[in-house]
Amino acid sequence: MKSRQEMETELGYFSEYVAHIASHPDVRTVTASEAYELYFDEARDRAFAVHEIIAFARNLGSMITYQRVGSAAISPAEAFYLVVSLLGEAIREYSAVSDPGTILEAIARFKVQVPTGIYGPIRRTASNLTSCDYAAFLAACKWAIDFIDMNGRIPDAVPIGGGSLNPVDFLATANALISNLFDGSSNKSGVSVPSSPGNINPMTGNLELERQVVGEGVWKWIIFPEGFDAPNIIELAKLQAWSLKPACLSHC
């Protein structure tokens, strides 16, 4: 424990440091409440259009990380919700009508708003699905969105027919399907004509943001007993990398 005199001396140093920083004419000091407004999450209360979702689904591919859409930052969990919602709608429209123009008209009006605060899964699972048809994947899309709406987190695995995909592989597969369903011949709304679907072969994804979680040497702080380790906490932190995205000034 530090003595009272040591504490007063060091608090004095800190006060002088803050005063020195604040004395510069090009430095602006803000409160915590003001910082919240400056870095307000632009993805909240925003409805994402079809062409925006298609664009970042293609950018993501199998390498899952955050995305930028205008001034909004999208976490992998939010991307999961947006892509799977759009894909379910696209397949549903494809199954309902045969005229691509009608599909375009219906999909072009489709917008998705993400729930606030989608967390990652709570355990890591292995995929065991080799193939499925569009009806099964459509049912899986609906199941995944319903799960998130009810639980506020990404599912540990998405059941499809007699198998399942972990969420990383499921999103990678959904991103690939977005690219395959839309062949690039866009209409004036920016939405492309869906091409003919076949069987779906799952993709293998990689949650890139897991690399931001450091697992080695993190328990060296003096408050931890010598030799302390908590691998399950590190594993849970990696799973919650689904929710990571940068804070960005609201005007950028």
Side-chain angles (χ1 to χ4, degrees), residues 186-207:
S186 300
N187 67 350
K188 62 182 180 180
S189 68
V191 181
S192 306
V193 178
S195 58
S196 298
N199 283 337
I200 295 171
N201 298 315
M203 304 288 292
T204 300
N206 181 33
L207 184 59

Side-chain angles (χ1 to χ4, degrees), residues 152-216:
R153 68 173 180 88
I154 299 295
D156 302 334
V158 181
I160 308 177
S164 66
L165 291 177
N166 65 45
V168 182
D169 293 345
F170 188 81
L171 180 53
T173 304
N175 290 334
L177 283 172
I178 289 289
S179 296
N180 291 338
L181 276 174
F182 300 95
D183 64 9
S185 54
S186 300
N187 67 350
K188 62 182 180 180
S189 68
V191 181
S192 306
V193 178
S195 58
S196 298
N199 283 337
I200 295 171
N201 298 315
M203 304 288 292
T204 300
N206 181 33
L207 184 59
E208 288 285 287
L209 289 178
E210 281 196 16
R211 296 187 299 174
Q212 301 296 321
V213 180
V214 178
E216 298 295 329

